[in-house]
Amino acid sequence: EDKCGVCEGDNSHCRTVKLTLTKTPKKTGMLKMFDIPAGARHILIEENVTSPHIIAVKNQVTGNFLLNAKSEEAKSKVFIENGLVWEYSLDTDKESLKTIGPLYEGIVVLVIPQEDEAKISLTYKYIIHEDLLPEITNNNVLLTELDTYEWALKSWSQCSKLCGGGIQYTKYGCRGKNNNRLVHRNFCEPSKKPKPIRKRCNLHEWVVEEWSPCSKTCGKLGYQTRVVQCTQSLLNGTARAVHAKHCGEDRPELRRACNSTVCPAQWRTGAWSQCSVSCGEGIQQRQVVCKASDNTISHCGGDKPDTILICTLNPCP
């Protein structure tokens, strides 16, 4: 099983919760610090700074003490309570209590004051399945595994103006990487939340499409065209086409010349003449000249097309 008890699990549903509380006992009797819920595992409770006070723990359901019902009983030990093995340490200057868990019933952590006006600072940390996670308060810091949740763009804010150009900002939500579902923002680290991005909205602007292919490969007659539209940005992030008058006079060009390089010279052939005889074997002729794109005589590469062709008619009588 994984850290939160899921058989063959991958820890993707495990959550780590950590809380630090500092209090000053101002009256006799035990002082409640915090609760830890049923289902918690890998529990660690420890002092942050040395104090004269004593930690006590009791069952949330029965009210029976698991540890230090009386301060004079406090000493380091390993013991079994509520079906779990607990390790309580006083060997250092700071008290600590830990168990692998899981808690079958919630516990209450208290302090037995030993001196007036002496502060007590405790930190607890535990792992729990997300379905058993208690409601998170502002005092809690939820330490989820860093690769489990992330900040993601949720939506854009409403535009600050209905027309004429306004501003809108990105709104981020916390989502699970495994399923992309949005969850409470406390699942993500506040320090890693992206800064809002702002953009203009409800604007009128020209939108152009790509140029079409050129109509000619060379010469002076080639041209390209494209679609140009005046659009208005809408609140939902999309745009719609509107009348060109809303976008002003600086309309992008719709048509332009292209491939205006001089075309290479080419052989040009005339029509074949009639056969030189009315019967038997004769010849046909045609004109073949090399001309540039401006129709002037030029020099062509390659073989010159035939100018004479043998023609054969019916035998003469």
Side-chain angles (χ1 to χ4, degrees):
E1 61 182 33
D2 62 12
K3 291 181 181 179
C4 52
V6 178
C7 185
E8 298 183 358
D10 58 1
N11 296 318
S12 61
H13 296 284
C14 300
R15 307 291 167 256
T16 303
V17 180
K18 182 179 180 182
L19 172 64
T20 297
L21 280 180
T22 300
K23 293 186 179 182
T24 302
K26 296 186 178 181
K27 60 182 179 180
T28 58
M30 292 189 179
L31 172 67
K32 178 180 175 180
M33 296 295 290
F34 47 75
D35 300 324
I36 297 181
R41 295 168 179 259
H42 304 282
I43 300 164
L44 174 63
I45 302 166
E46 58 184 351
E47 280 188 301
N48 297 310
V49 294
T50 303
S51 79
H53 308 304
I54 302 296
I55 296 174
V57 179
K58 69 178 181 178
N59 186 301
Q60 201 175 44
V61 177
T62 65
N64 296 331
F65 277 87
L66 284 66
L67 177 69
N68 297 339
K70 298 178 182 178
S71 59
E72 59 269 18
E73 298 175 352
K75 61 180 180 180
S76 297
K77 60 181 177 178
V78 176
F79 61 98
I80 297 176
E81 283 288 349
N82 287 4
L84 302 175
V85 177
W86 301 78
E87 184 179 337
Y88 175 61
S89 176
L90 278 171
D91 292 339
T92 62
D93 293 336
K94 301 175 185 177
E95 281 182 277
S96 68
L97 176 66
K98 59 185 177 180
T99 182
I100 294 178
L103 290 183
Y104 300 107
E105 295 173 327
I107 59 173
V108 183
V109 179
L110 310 102
V111 166
I112 306 174
Q114 302 297 306
E115 292 182 9
D116 293 338
E117 302 303 321
K119 290 184 179 180
I120 176 73
S121 180
L122 292 181
T123 293
Y124 73 69
K125 182 179 178 182
Y126 63 83
I127 297 175
I128 193 168
H129 192 281
E130 62 184 0
D131 292 343
L132 302 174
L133 192 68
E135 183 177 351
I136 301 300
T137 66
N138 291 333
N139 293 326
N140 286 50
V141 180
L142 190 63
L143 304 175
T144 62
E145 286 73 9
L146 298 182
D147 60 347
T148 303
Y149 291 96
E150 64 183 355
W151 293 105
L153 177 62
K154 184 170 65 173
S155 62
W156 286 89
S157 67
Q158 288 192 346
C159 192
S160 59
K161 294 183 179 180
L162 294 177
C163 60
I167 300 292
Q168 60 183 164
Y169 298 86
T170 50
K171 298 171 72 175
Y172 293 96
C174 182
R175 72 178 180 189
K177 286 187 176 181
N178 293 336
N179 52 25
N180 290 328
R181 288 188 305 178
L182 289 174
V183 297
H184 193 280
R185 62 179 178 272
N186 283 339
F187 284 97
C188 287
E189 291 190 70
S191 62
K192 293 188 176 182
K193 186 176 183 179
K195 293 183 178 180
I197 300 171
R198 73 176 195 169
K199 69 177 182 180
R200 301 291 299 276
C201 50
N202 283 347
L203 293 172
H204 293 98
E205 60 182 349
W206 292 109
V207 174
V208 297
E209 296 185 8
E210 294 293 327
W211 287 103
S212 68
C214 192
S215 61
K216 302 286 184 181
T217 58
C218 61
K220 300 179 180 179
L221 302 178
Y223 65 90
Q224 291 174 289
T225 60
R226 65 178 176 182
V227 175
V228 178
Q229 288 184 315
C230 178
T231 63
Q232 178 189 16
S233 300
L234 303 179
L235 290 173
N236 61 5
T238 61
R240 66 174 180 178
V242 294
H243 195 281
K245 67 181 181 181
H246 296 293
C247 285
E249 297 180 357
D250 296 328
R251 181 173 185 167
E253 59 181 340
L254 298 171
R255 176 176 170 140
R256 70 179 181 184
C258 57
N259 290 348
S260 56
T261 56
V262 176
C263 291
Q266 291 181 324
W267 291 109
R268 300 188 186 182
T269 59
W272 288 104
S273 67
Q274 290 185 350
C275 194
S276 59
V277 296
S278 59
C279 63
E281 190 174 271
I283 62 171
Q284 288 178 283
Q285 300 183 69
R286 68 176 177 181
Q287 264 196 329
V288 177
V289 294
C290 177
K291 288 191 175 182
S293 58
D294 59 359
N295 222 28
T296 59
I297 301 298
S298 183
H299 176 73
C300 291
D303 295 333
K304 181 178 180 178
D306 293 334
T307 58
I308 296 177
L309 180 68
I310 300 297
C311 53
T312 302
L313 302 178
N314 293 328
C316 293

PDB file of all heavy atoms in Angstrom, residues 119-150:
ATOM      1  N   LYS A 119       5.662  30.480  26.747  1.00  0.00           N
ATOM      2  CA  LYS A 119       5.026  30.078  25.499  1.00  0.00           C
ATOM      3  C   LYS A 119       5.290  28.610  25.178  1.00  0.00           C
ATOM      4  O   LYS A 119       6.307  28.054  25.568  1.00  0.00           O
ATOM      5  CB  LYS A 119       5.528  30.938  24.339  1.00  0.00           C
ATOM      6  CG  LYS A 119       5.043  32.380  24.373  1.00  0.00           C
ATOM      7  CD  LYS A 119       5.504  33.125  23.126  1.00  0.00           C
ATOM      8  CE  LYS A 119       5.000  34.574  23.151  1.00  0.00           C
ATOM      9  NZ  LYS A 119       5.430  35.310  21.944  1.00  0.00           N
ATOM     10  N   ILE A 120       4.333  28.012  24.455  1.00  0.00           N
ATOM     11  CA  ILE A 120       4.501  26.664  23.931  1.00  0.00           C
ATOM     12  C   ILE A 120       4.258  26.721  22.436  1.00  0.00           C
ATOM     13  O   ILE A 120       3.273  27.298  21.976  1.00  0.00           O
ATOM     14  CB  ILE A 120       3.534  25.654  24.617  1.00  0.00           C
ATOM     15  CG1 ILE A 120       3.658  24.276  23.980  1.00  0.00           C
ATOM     16  CG2 ILE A 120       2.093  26.165  24.541  1.00  0.00           C
ATOM     17  CD1 ILE A 120       4.895  23.544  24.303  1.00  0.00           C
ATOM     18  N   SER A 121       5.179  26.172  21.648  1.00  0.00           N
ATOM     19  CA  SER A 121       5.056  26.163  20.181  1.00  0.00           C
ATOM     20  C   SER A 121       5.167  24.728  19.696  1.00  0.00           C
ATOM     21  O   SER A 121       6.206  24.086  19.855  1.00  0.00           O
ATOM     22  CB  SER A 121       6.145  27.031  19.546  1.00  0.00           C
ATOM     23  OG  SER A 121       6.018  27.026  18.135  1.00  0.00           O
ATOM     24  N   LEU A 122       4.081  24.224  19.094  1.00  0.00           N
ATOM     25  CA  LEU A 122       4.042  22.850  18.613  1.00  0.00           C
ATOM     26  C   LEU A 122       3.775  22.828  17.107  1.00  0.00           C
ATOM     27  O   LEU A 122       3.023  23.647  16.586  1.00  0.00           O
ATOM     28  CB  LEU A 122       2.930  22.045  19.306  1.00  0.00           C
ATOM     29  CG  LEU A 122       3.082  21.751  20.798  1.00  0.00           C
ATOM     30  CD1 LEU A 122       1.902  20.922  21.272  1.00  0.00           C
ATOM     31  CD2 LEU A 122       4.384  21.023  21.069  1.00  0.00           C
ATOM     32  N   THR A 123       4.391  21.864  16.454  1.00  0.00           N
ATOM     33  CA  THR A 123       4.132  21.612  15.031  1.00  0.00           C
ATOM     34  C   THR A 123       3.678  20.173  14.864  1.00  0.00           C
ATOM     35  O   THR A 123       4.253  19.271  15.490  1.00  0.00           O
ATOM     36  CB  THR A 123       5.392  21.839  14.182  1.00  0.00           C
ATOM     37  OG1 THR A 123       5.726  23.225  14.207  1.00  0.00           O
ATOM     38  CG2 THR A 123       5.159  21.425  12.732  1.00  0.00           C
ATOM     39  N   TYR A 124       2.633  19.967  14.062  1.00  0.00           N
ATOM     40  CA  TYR A 124       2.284  18.581  13.733  1.00  0.00           C
ATOM     41  C   TYR A 124       2.301  18.415  12.229  1.00  0.00           C
ATOM     42  O   TYR A 124       2.110  19.373  11.466  1.00  0.00           O
ATOM     43  CB  TYR A 124       0.938  18.159  14.327  1.00  0.00           C
ATOM     44  CG  TYR A 124      -0.298  18.738  13.688  1.00  0.00           C
ATOM     45  CD1 TYR A 124      -0.694  18.372  12.414  1.00  0.00           C
ATOM     46  CD2 TYR A 124      -1.127  19.627  14.383  1.00  0.00           C
ATOM     47  CE1 TYR A 124      -1.837  18.878  11.826  1.00  0.00           C
ATOM     48  CE2 TYR A 124      -2.266  20.139  13.806  1.00  0.00           C
ATOM     49  CZ  TYR A 124      -2.616  19.759  12.525  1.00  0.00           C
ATOM     50  OH  TYR A 124      -3.739  20.260  11.955  1.00  0.00           O
ATOM     51  N   LYS A 125       2.516  17.206  11.828  1.00  0.00           N
ATOM     52  CA  LYS A 125       2.543  16.860  10.414  1.00  0.00           C
ATOM     53  C   LYS A 125       1.998  15.449  10.264  1.00  0.00           C
ATOM     54  O   LYS A 125       2.355  14.560  11.049  1.00  0.00           O
ATOM     55  CB  LYS A 125       3.978  16.947   9.886  1.00  0.00           C
ATOM     56  CG  LYS A 125       4.129  16.650   8.395  1.00  0.00           C
ATOM     57  CD  LYS A 125       5.601  16.791   8.002  1.00  0.00           C
ATOM     58  CE  LYS A 125       5.820  16.455   6.542  1.00  0.00           C
ATOM     59  NZ  LYS A 125       7.256  16.546   6.162  1.00  0.00           N
ATOM     60  N   TYR A 126       1.123  15.237   9.292  1.00  0.00           N
ATOM     61  CA  TYR A 126       0.619  13.881   9.047  1.00  0.00           C
ATOM     62  C   TYR A 126       0.226  13.736   7.583  1.00  0.00           C
ATOM     63  O   TYR A 126       0.064  14.721   6.859  1.00  0.00           O
ATOM     64  CB  TYR A 126      -0.571  13.547   9.957  1.00  0.00           C
ATOM     65  CG  TYR A 126      -1.806  14.396   9.766  1.00  0.00           C
ATOM     66  CD1 TYR A 126      -2.736  14.115   8.771  1.00  0.00           C
ATOM     67  CD2 TYR A 126      -2.077  15.468  10.625  1.00  0.00           C
ATOM     68  CE1 TYR A 126      -3.872  14.877   8.608  1.00  0.00           C
ATOM     69  CE2 TYR A 126      -3.215  16.234  10.468  1.00  0.00           C
ATOM     70  CZ  TYR A 126      -4.104  15.939   9.467  1.00  0.00           C
ATOM     71  OH  TYR A 126      -5.233  16.701   9.306  1.00  0.00           O
ATOM     72  N   ILE A 127       0.085  12.498   7.155  1.00  0.00           N
ATOM     73  CA  ILE A 127      -0.363  12.166   5.800  1.00  0.00           C
ATOM     74  C   ILE A 127      -1.743  11.534   5.893  1.00  0.00           C
ATOM     75  O   ILE A 127      -2.002  10.723   6.797  1.00  0.00           O
ATOM     76  CB  ILE A 127       0.626  11.197   5.110  1.00  0.00           C
ATOM     77  CG1 ILE A 127       1.982  11.868   4.952  1.00  0.00           C
ATOM     78  CG2 ILE A 127       0.089  10.747   3.744  1.00  0.00           C
ATOM     79  CD1 ILE A 127       3.059  10.949   4.389  1.00  0.00           C
ATOM     80  N   ILE A 128      -2.625  11.900   4.959  1.00  0.00           N
ATOM     81  CA  ILE A 128      -3.996  11.401   5.017  1.00  0.00           C
ATOM     82  C   ILE A 128      -4.549  11.294   3.594  1.00  0.00           C
ATOM     83  O   ILE A 128      -4.127  12.044   2.696  1.00  0.00           O
ATOM     84  CB  ILE A 128      -4.883  12.339   5.887  1.00  0.00           C
ATOM     85  CG1 ILE A 128      -6.229  11.687   6.218  1.00  0.00           C
ATOM     86  CG2 ILE A 128      -5.071  13.679   5.211  1.00  0.00           C
ATOM     87  CD1 ILE A 128      -7.011  12.431   7.287  1.00  0.00           C
ATOM     88  N   HIS A 129      -5.450  10.346   3.378  1.00  0.00           N
ATOM     89  CA  HIS A 129      -6.112  10.218   2.076  1.00  0.00           C
ATOM     90  C   HIS A 129      -6.990  11.445   1.855  1.00  0.00           C
ATOM     91  O   HIS A 129      -7.624  11.952   2.777  1.00  0.00           O
ATOM     92  CB  HIS A 129      -6.963   8.944   2.036  1.00  0.00           C
ATOM     93  CG  HIS A 129      -7.448   8.593   0.663  1.00  0.00           C
ATOM     94  ND1 HIS A 129      -8.526   9.214   0.082  1.00  0.00           N
ATOM     95  CD2 HIS A 129      -6.993   7.688  -0.252  1.00  0.00           C
ATOM     96  CE1 HIS A 129      -8.726   8.708  -1.123  1.00  0.00           C
ATOM     97  NE2 HIS A 129      -7.806   7.787  -1.357  1.00  0.00           N
ATOM     98  N   GLU A 130      -7.051  11.928   0.601  1.00  0.00           N
ATOM     99  CA  GLU A 130      -7.782  13.167   0.315  1.00  0.00           C
ATOM    100  C   GLU A 130      -9.262  13.083   0.677  1.00  0.00           C
ATOM    101  O   GLU A 130      -9.881  14.099   1.005  1.00  0.00           O
ATOM    102  CB  GLU A 130      -7.625  13.546  -1.157  1.00  0.00           C
ATOM    103  CG  GLU A 130      -8.192  12.540  -2.139  1.00  0.00           C
ATOM    104  CD  GLU A 130      -7.919  12.927  -3.585  1.00  0.00           C
ATOM    105  OE1 GLU A 130      -7.281  13.978  -3.814  1.00  0.00           O
ATOM    106  OE2 GLU A 130      -8.336  12.187  -4.493  1.00  0.00           O
ATOM    107  N   ASP A 131      -9.845  11.870   0.629  1.00  0.00           N
ATOM    108  CA  ASP A 131     -11.261  11.732   0.987  1.00  0.00           C
ATOM    109  C   ASP A 131     -11.489  11.920   2.482  1.00  0.00           C
ATOM    110  O   ASP A 131     -12.616  12.189   2.907  1.00  0.00           O
ATOM    111  CB  ASP A 131     -11.781  10.354   0.565  1.00  0.00           C
ATOM    112  CG  ASP A 131     -11.841  10.202  -0.944  1.00  0.00           C
ATOM    113  OD1 ASP A 131     -11.806  11.237  -1.642  1.00  0.00           O
ATOM    114  OD2 ASP A 131     -11.904   9.059  -1.430  1.00  0.00           O
ATOM    115  N   LEU A 132     -10.439  11.770   3.287  1.00  0.00           N
ATOM    116  CA  LEU A 132     -10.563  11.924   4.738  1.00  0.00           C
ATOM    117  C   LEU A 132     -10.050  13.276   5.212  1.00  0.00           C
ATOM    118  O   LEU A 132     -10.047  13.551   6.408  1.00  0.00           O
ATOM    119  CB  LEU A 132      -9.771  10.814   5.455  1.00  0.00           C
ATOM    120  CG  LEU A 132     -10.181   9.378   5.107  1.00  0.00           C
ATOM    121  CD1 LEU A 132      -9.229   8.398   5.781  1.00  0.00           C
ATOM    122  CD2 LEU A 132     -11.613   9.107   5.523  1.00  0.00           C
ATOM    123  N   LEU A 133      -9.634  14.109   4.271  1.00  0.00           N
ATOM    124  CA  LEU A 133      -9.015  15.380   4.631  1.00  0.00           C
ATOM    125  C   LEU A 133     -10.036  16.289   5.309  1.00  0.00           C
ATOM    126  O   LEU A 133     -11.111  16.529   4.789  1.00  0.00           O
ATOM    127  CB  LEU A 133      -8.479  16.054   3.366  1.00  0.00           C
ATOM    128  CG  LEU A 133      -7.556  17.233   3.550  1.00  0.00           C
ATOM    129  CD1 LEU A 133      -6.237  16.779   4.157  1.00  0.00           C
ATOM    130  CD2 LEU A 133      -7.290  17.909   2.208  1.00  0.00           C
ATOM    131  N   PRO A 134      -9.695  16.830   6.479  1.00  0.00           N
ATOM    132  CA  PRO A 134     -10.630  17.746   7.148  1.00  0.00           C
ATOM    133  C   PRO A 134     -10.693  19.071   6.398  1.00  0.00           C
ATOM    134  O   PRO A 134      -9.852  19.374   5.554  1.00  0.00           O
ATOM    135  CB  PRO A 134     -10.003  17.938   8.534  1.00  0.00           C
ATOM    136  CG  PRO A 134      -8.542  17.718   8.318  1.00  0.00           C
ATOM    137  CD  PRO A 134      -8.453  16.648   7.251  1.00  0.00           C
ATOM    138  N   GLU A 135     -11.694  19.870   6.720  1.00  0.00           N
ATOM    139  CA  GLU A 135     -11.827  21.172   6.090  1.00  0.00           C
ATOM    140  C   GLU A 135     -10.613  22.024   6.434  1.00  0.00           C
ATOM    141  O   GLU A 135     -10.224  22.146   7.581  1.00  0.00           O
ATOM    142  CB  GLU A 135     -13.104  21.870   6.572  1.00  0.00           C
ATOM    143  CG  GLU A 135     -13.351  23.212   5.888  1.00  0.00           C
ATOM    144  CD  GLU A 135     -14.663  23.825   6.329  1.00  0.00           C
ATOM    145  OE1 GLU A 135     -15.430  23.133   7.011  1.00  0.00           O
ATOM    146  OE2 GLU A 135     -14.886  24.992   6.005  1.00  0.00           O
ATOM    147  N   ILE A 136      -9.993  22.594   5.400  1.00  0.00           N
ATOM    148  CA  ILE A 136      -8.773  23.372   5.618  1.00  0.00           C
ATOM    149  C   ILE A 136      -9.137  24.778   6.094  1.00  0.00           C
ATOM    150  O   ILE A 136      -9.977  25.453   5.525  1.00  0.00           O
ATOM    151  CB  ILE A 136      -7.962  23.453   4.313  1.00  0.00           C
ATOM    152  CG1 ILE A 136      -7.596  22.055   3.852  1.00  0.00           C
ATOM    153  CG2 ILE A 136      -6.707  24.291   4.500  1.00  0.00           C
ATOM    154  CD1 ILE A 136      -6.780  21.265   4.826  1.00  0.00           C
ATOM    155  N   THR A 137      -8.475  25.229   7.149  1.00  0.00           N
ATOM    156  CA  THR A 137      -8.693  26.584   7.647  1.00  0.00           C
ATOM    157  C   THR A 137      -7.493  27.439   7.261  1.00  0.00           C
ATOM    158  O   THR A 137      -6.494  26.957   6.753  1.00  0.00           O
ATOM    159  CB  THR A 137      -8.834  26.592   9.181  1.00  0.00           C
ATOM    160  OG1 THR A 137      -7.563  26.194   9.749  1.00  0.00           O
ATOM    161  CG2 THR A 137      -9.893  25.606   9.639  1.00  0.00           C
ATOM    162  N   ASN A 138      -7.605  28.737   7.521  1.00  0.00           N
ATOM    163  CA  ASN A 138      -6.521  29.646   7.154  1.00  0.00           C
ATOM    164  C   ASN A 138      -5.251  29.385   7.961  1.00  0.00           C
ATOM    165  O   ASN A 138      -4.167  29.844   7.599  1.00  0.00           O
ATOM    166  CB  ASN A 138      -6.968  31.101   7.363  1.00  0.00           C
ATOM    167  CG  ASN A 138      -8.031  31.508   6.364  1.00  0.00           C
ATOM    168  OD1 ASN A 138      -8.087  30.957   5.272  1.00  0.00           O
ATOM    169  ND2 ASN A 138      -8.870  32.456   6.723  1.00  0.00           N
ATOM    170  N   ASN A 139      -5.375  28.679   9.074  1.00  0.00           N
ATOM    171  CA  ASN A 139      -4.203  28.402   9.893  1.00  0.00           C
ATOM    172  C   ASN A 139      -3.397  27.219   9.376  1.00  0.00           C
ATOM    173  O   ASN A 139      -2.268  27.003   9.785  1.00  0.00           O
ATOM    174  CB  ASN A 139      -4.610  28.113  11.348  1.00  0.00           C
ATOM    175  CG  ASN A 139      -5.193  29.333  12.018  1.00  0.00           C
ATOM    176  OD1 ASN A 139      -4.770  30.440  11.739  1.00  0.00           O
ATOM    177  ND2 ASN A 139      -6.165  29.137  12.899  1.00  0.00           N
ATOM    178  N   ASN A 140      -3.994  26.437   8.523  1.00  0.00           N
ATOM    179  CA  ASN A 140      -3.326  25.225   8.043  1.00  0.00           C
ATOM    180  C   ASN A 140      -2.528  25.499   6.778  1.00  0.00           C
ATOM    181  O   ASN A 140      -2.919  26.303   5.947  1.00  0.00           O
ATOM    182  CB  ASN A 140      -4.353  24.126   7.733  1.00  0.00           C
ATOM    183  CG  ASN A 140      -4.913  23.523   8.990  1.00  0.00           C
ATOM    184  OD1 ASN A 140      -5.343  24.238   9.874  1.00  0.00           O
ATOM    185  ND2 ASN A 140      -4.910  22.211   9.063  1.00  0.00           N
ATOM    186  N   VAL A 141      -1.430  24.807   6.665  1.00  0.00           N
ATOM    187  CA  VAL A 141      -0.643  24.833   5.440  1.00  0.00           C
ATOM    188  C   VAL A 141      -0.705  23.433   4.846  1.00  0.00           C
ATOM    189  O   VAL A 141      -0.253  22.476   5.458  1.00  0.00           O
ATOM    190  CB  VAL A 141       0.820  25.229   5.716  1.00  0.00           C
ATOM    191  CG1 VAL A 141       1.604  25.234   4.413  1.00  0.00           C
ATOM    192  CG2 VAL A 141       0.889  26.595   6.385  1.00  0.00           C
ATOM    193  N   LEU A 142      -1.279  23.335   3.680  1.00  0.00           N
ATOM    194  CA  LEU A 142      -1.410  22.023   3.047  1.00  0.00           C
ATOM    195  C   LEU A 142      -0.192  21.789   2.170  1.00  0.00           C
ATOM    196  O   LEU A 142       0.053  22.514   1.224  1.00  0.00           O
ATOM    197  CB  LEU A 142      -2.677  21.984   2.203  1.00  0.00           C
ATOM    198  CG  LEU A 142      -3.077  20.613   1.663  1.00  0.00           C
ATOM    199  CD1 LEU A 142      -3.387  19.677   2.817  1.00  0.00           C
ATOM    200  CD2 LEU A 142      -4.269  20.741   0.761  1.00  0.00           C
ATOM    201  N   LEU A 143       0.593  20.795   2.517  1.00  0.00           N
ATOM    202  CA  LEU A 143       1.833  20.520   1.802  1.00  0.00           C
ATOM    203  C   LEU A 143       1.639  19.335   0.864  1.00  0.00           C
ATOM    204  O   LEU A 143       2.086  18.230   1.148  1.00  0.00           O
ATOM    205  CB  LEU A 143       2.961  20.212   2.794  1.00  0.00           C
ATOM    206  CG  LEU A 143       3.245  21.284   3.849  1.00  0.00           C
ATOM    207  CD1 LEU A 143       4.283  20.789   4.809  1.00  0.00           C
ATOM    208  CD2 LEU A 143       3.705  22.550   3.182  1.00  0.00           C
ATOM    209  N   THR A 144       0.984  19.522  -0.231  1.00  0.00           N
ATOM    210  CA  THR A 144       0.791  18.412  -1.159  1.00  0.00           C
ATOM    211  C   THR A 144       2.093  18.113  -1.877  1.00  0.00           C
ATOM    212  O   THR A 144       2.970  18.966  -1.979  1.00  0.00           O
ATOM    213  CB  THR A 144      -0.275  18.760  -2.214  1.00  0.00           C
ATOM    214  OG1 THR A 144       0.189  19.872  -2.965  1.00  0.00           O
ATOM    215  CG2 THR A 144      -1.591  19.085  -1.564  1.00  0.00           C
ATOM    216  N   GLU A 145       2.209  16.901  -2.390  1.00  0.00           N
ATOM    217  CA  GLU A 145       3.381  16.566  -3.165  1.00  0.00           C
ATOM    218  C   GLU A 145       3.454  17.500  -4.369  1.00  0.00           C
ATOM    219  O   GLU A 145       2.462  17.783  -5.021  1.00  0.00           O
ATOM    220  CB  GLU A 145       3.304  15.111  -3.643  1.00  0.00           C
ATOM    221  CG  GLU A 145       3.547  14.083  -2.550  1.00  0.00           C
ATOM    222  CD  GLU A 145       2.395  13.957  -1.566  1.00  0.00           C
ATOM    223  OE1 GLU A 145       1.322  14.545  -1.814  1.00  0.00           O
ATOM    224  OE2 GLU A 145       2.572  13.282  -0.547  1.00  0.00           O
ATOM    225  N   LEU A 146       4.670  17.996  -4.641  1.00  0.00           N
ATOM    226  CA  LEU A 146       4.816  19.083  -5.603  1.00  0.00           C
ATOM    227  C   LEU A 146       4.363  18.692  -7.001  1.00  0.00           C
ATOM    228  O   LEU A 146       3.987  19.537  -7.792  1.00  0.00           O
ATOM    229  CB  LEU A 146       6.275  19.545  -5.627  1.00  0.00           C
ATOM    230  CG  LEU A 146       6.782  20.116  -4.305  1.00  0.00           C
ATOM    231  CD1 LEU A 146       8.227  20.579  -4.476  1.00  0.00           C
ATOM    232  CD2 LEU A 146       5.917  21.266  -3.834  1.00  0.00           C
ATOM    233  N   ASP A 147       4.421  17.403  -7.327  1.00  0.00           N
ATOM    234  CA  ASP A 147       4.072  16.999  -8.685  1.00  0.00           C
ATOM    235  C   ASP A 147       2.624  16.551  -8.819  1.00  0.00           C
ATOM    236  O   ASP A 147       2.225  16.004  -9.818  1.00  0.00           O
ATOM    237  CB  ASP A 147       4.993  15.865  -9.148  1.00  0.00           C
ATOM    238  CG  ASP A 147       4.878  14.633  -8.257  1.00  0.00           C
ATOM    239  OD1 ASP A 147       4.294  14.752  -7.168  1.00  0.00           O
ATOM    240  OD2 ASP A 147       5.364  13.567  -8.659  1.00  0.00           O
ATOM    241  N   THR A 148       1.816  16.767  -7.773  1.00  0.00           N
ATOM    242  CA  THR A 148       0.433  16.310  -7.789  1.00  0.00           C
ATOM    243  C   THR A 148      -0.529  17.395  -8.257  1.00  0.00           C
ATOM    244  O   THR A 148      -1.471  17.130  -8.975  1.00  0.00           O
ATOM    245  CB  THR A 148       0.014  15.831  -6.389  1.00  0.00           C
ATOM    246  OG1 THR A 148       0.897  14.798  -5.975  1.00  0.00           O
ATOM    247  CG2 THR A 148      -1.409  15.299  -6.392  1.00  0.00           C
ATOM    248  N   TYR A 149      -0.287  18.649  -7.863  1.00  0.00           N
ATOM    249  CA  TYR A 149      -1.187  19.754  -8.209  1.00  0.00           C
ATOM    250  C   TYR A 149      -0.397  20.899  -8.819  1.00  0.00           C
ATOM    251  O   TYR A 149       0.801  21.057  -8.569  1.00  0.00           O
ATOM    252  CB  TYR A 149      -1.953  20.240  -6.971  1.00  0.00           C
ATOM    253  CG  TYR A 149      -2.950  19.227  -6.477  1.00  0.00           C
ATOM    254  CD1 TYR A 149      -2.623  18.349  -5.444  1.00  0.00           C
ATOM    255  CD2 TYR A 149      -4.213  19.111  -7.059  1.00  0.00           C
ATOM    256  CE1 TYR A 149      -3.527  17.397  -4.995  1.00  0.00           C
ATOM    257  CE2 TYR A 149      -5.119  18.175  -6.626  1.00  0.00           C
ATOM    258  CZ  TYR A 149      -4.777  17.323  -5.594  1.00  0.00           C
ATOM    259  OH  TYR A 149      -5.672  16.391  -5.166  1.00  0.00           O
ATOM    260  N   GLU A 150      -1.090  21.698  -9.595  1.00  0.00           N
ATOM    261  CA  GLU A 150      -0.440  22.827 -10.241  1.00  0.00           C
ATOM    262  C   GLU A 150      -1.450  23.937 -10.486  1.00  0.00           C
ATOM    263  O   GLU A 150      -2.652  23.706 -10.552  1.00  0.00           O
ATOM    264  CB  GLU A 150       0.163  22.388 -11.579  1.00  0.00           C
ATOM    265  CG  GLU A 150      -0.885  21.926 -12.585  1.00  0.00           C
ATOM    266  CD  GLU A 150      -0.283  21.426 -13.884  1.00  0.00           C
ATOM    267  OE1 GLU A 150       0.945  21.539 -14.031  1.00  0.00           O
ATOM    268  OE2 GLU A 150      -1.045  20.922 -14.736  1.00  0.00           O
TER     269      GLU A 150
END
